[in-house]
Amino acid sequence: MGTRVAARQVLRWTVMKAAVFSPLRCGTCPLQPLRTGCRSLCSSQNTNRASHQSHGLRLQPGDPELSLLSLLDMGFTDSQAQRIYEDTSKLRGGSAACKHALSTLTALFVLGLNPSSVLKLLEKCPELYTVRESLLQQRIGNLRKLGLVEGSLQRVVSHFPQIITVPVKTVKSMVMFLREKCLFTVQQVTDILRDTPAVVLENTDKLEYKFQYVYFRMGVKQAEMVKSRLFRYTLDEVRSRHSFMERRGLYQTPDKKGQTIIINPKLDSILNVDQDTFLTDVAKASAEEYEVFRRLLAREWQEEERLHGTVEADSDDDDEDAAGGSGQHTLKKNTPHPEHLE
């Protein structure tokens, strides 16, 4: 329904644009304007044209640039149209950049977004003004192929508009990484893109280590990672809370059979809560204790990194360095096998 409304809106704007920019002519004589009472529709258009020209805008026939009139016809309010026009006026590239801005707005309306949502989206990601329409359509189409259906797709684009500035090749590469290196299923990858679209911009080495830390050190499987939205959190956040729980005897790394002496709390209850809830309900500790622990842990990490750097500088054997260095390099040598999947 939203897409059909948007399509009608764009069609209406296109017709209005044609009416303003290219008056119909029959031979060499222009068609006479229709009249209603004592006023002509043509004079009304001329009044609008003069009004918008007073803002310093040019509405010449065939002019590809955005104007306040075209923005108003798209459904933006006066203040919204003025804001967009001012933003596009600052773009580099002159009329070419404005032409891309025009196609960007059209593509976003066809996607089913309303004027207010489009404005918020462009304020978050002004780079969209300069993306060619063909690239936008390719990227949106690729997200649909990856399982983001209507509703989910609009929410993802509204929440993280940068995702349609990322080349299709980059998104496909991240999807391949999640499937082959982390062994997420097709549906799990779709869920990750829906809940954490910023993952497409992550460094794969850091992402792999975070995954392996949670998989091997915490004994958490892929389904629980997706449910807890693991990739929304930094590695430091994950390690800090896990290490704090572990050293308080409240979390235990499972053995080879996946068994523990104690019952570990779910990853969701560790990560997907604010700090006060984590300390009160899960870690059973005070904020002061946690803050002191985090400072000490940060020193430990710095020392590990320093020692590992020294080992790498003094050794020619990269494999030995990885095995004898910090936990990060040890973990990166491990890859979960298909039989480990739930």
Side-chain angles (χ1 to χ4, degrees):
M1 178 66 73
T3 302
R4 290 199 297 270
V5 171
R8 287 199 299 270
Q9 193 173 25
V10 172
L11 178 60
R12 172 179 172 272
W13 169 74
T14 304
V15 172
M16 290 291 291
K17 179 183 176 184
V20 174
F21 291 160
S22 304
L24 293 175
R25 293 180 178 275
C26 181
T28 58
C29 299
L31 294 176
Q32 294 299 317
L34 296 174
R35 295 182 179 274
T36 304
C38 297
R39 297 178 59 191
S40 70
L41 295 178
C42 186
S43 64
S44 175
Q45 289 179 353
N46 290 336
T47 301
N48 286 336
R49 182 178 302 183
S51 172
H52 290 289
Q53 282 178 333
S54 67
H55 289 81
L57 303 178
R58 295 177 297 140
L59 293 176
Q60 301 299 327
D63 193 346
E65 296 186 6
L66 279 178
S67 66
L68 286 178
L69 180 59
S70 62
L71 291 169
L72 291 172
D73 287 338
M74 284 182 171
F76 293 104
T77 64
D78 289 341
S79 60
Q80 290 172 338
Q82 185 65 42
R83 190 178 309 174
I84 290 177
Y85 179 75
E86 290 174 355
D87 289 342
T88 55
S89 299
K90 299 173 185 177
L91 295 175
R92 294 181 180 180
S95 61
C98 287
K99 184 177 181 180
H100 291 321
L102 193 63
S103 61
T104 294
L105 292 171
T106 303
L108 294 176
F109 276 121
V110 171
L111 184 59
L113 302 176
N114 60 44
S116 296
S117 297
V118 169
L119 179 60
K120 291 178 182 178
L121 185 151
L122 291 170
E123 288 175 342
K124 286 183 181 179
C125 185
E127 299 93 325
L128 278 174
Y129 280 121
T130 59
V131 180
R132 295 200 307 273
E133 183 179 11
S134 59
L135 292 179
L136 283 177
Q137 297 297 352
Q138 287 177 14
R139 293 164 186 175
I140 291 171
N142 183 56
L143 293 175
R144 285 194 171 102
K145 290 179 182 178
L146 293 173
L148 293 177
V149 297
E150 299 305 312
S152 293
L153 177 59
Q154 284 76 9
R155 284 191 294 272
V156 166
V157 172
S158 297
H159 172 71
F160 188 71
Q162 290 85 348
I163 197 168
I164 52 177
T165 67
V166 180
V168 170
K169 183 178 180 181
T170 302
V171 175
K172 287 183 176 180
S173 177
M174 178 56 71
V175 169
M176 190 69 68
F177 166 81
L178 292 171
R179 293 278 289 119
E180 295 184 352
K181 291 290 186 179
C182 305
L183 299 181
F184 287 107
T185 66
V186 173
Q187 183 57 52
Q188 286 171 343
V189 170
T190 299
D191 293 341
I192 291 171
L193 291 175
R194 183 194 64 221
D195 297 331
T196 318
V199 73
V200 298
L201 298 178
E202 288 254 13
N203 177 282
T204 53
D205 288 337
K206 293 181 179 179
L207 199 65
E208 183 177 4
Y209 177 61
K210 179 162 53 178
F211 166 79
Q212 291 187 352
Y213 180 91
V214 174
Y215 189 91
F216 291 108
R217 286 282 285 110
M218 299 182 69
V220 176
K221 298 297 188 291
Q222 286 86 342
E224 191 176 347
M225 293 182 198
V226 174
K227 182 179 179 181
S228 64
R229 298 177 175 86
L230 168 66
F231 298 117
R232 286 188 178 184
Y233 306 96
T234 65
L235 175 61
D236 285 350
E237 289 174 322
V238 175
R239 287 198 298 182
S240 293
R241 293 194 177 189
H242 166 248
S243 297
F244 189 59
M245 294 284 293
E246 189 175 48
R247 297 189 190 187
R248 290 178 64 82
L250 299 175
Y251 201 101
Q252 189 177 66
T253 300
D255 59 22
K256 293 182 179 180
K257 296 182 180 180
Q259 298 176 343
T260 58
I261 298 176
I262 64 174
I263 299 176
N264 288 333
K266 295 293 185 181
L267 184 64
D268 186 64
S269 66
I270 296 175
L271 295 180
N272 203 20
V273 292
D274 59 44
Q275 182 170 301
D276 290 340
T277 303
F278 166 70
L279 293 173
T280 303
D281 298 344
V282 185
K284 312 294 183 184
S286 66
E288 291 76 14
E289 289 177 299
Y290 186 51
E291 185 59 33
V292 170
F293 172 80
R294 289 177 63 184
R295 287 200 296 266
L296 294 174
L297 192 63
R299 292 178 187 174
E300 288 183 17
W301 292 341
Q302 290 175 358
E303 184 65 17
E304 284 183 2
E305 291 175 359
R306 187 185 67 79
L307 290 175
H308 178 70
T310 302
V311 171
E312 282 191 334
D314 294 341
S315 175
D316 294 328
D317 191 338
D318 292 339
D319 290 336
E320 288 183 5
D321 288 347
S326 67
Q328 176 171 350
H329 294 269
T330 303
L331 284 172
K332 280 182 68 63
K333 293 184 67 177
N334 297 309
T335 301
H337 297 287
E339 59 266 24
H340 292 156
L341 286 168
E342 288 186 335

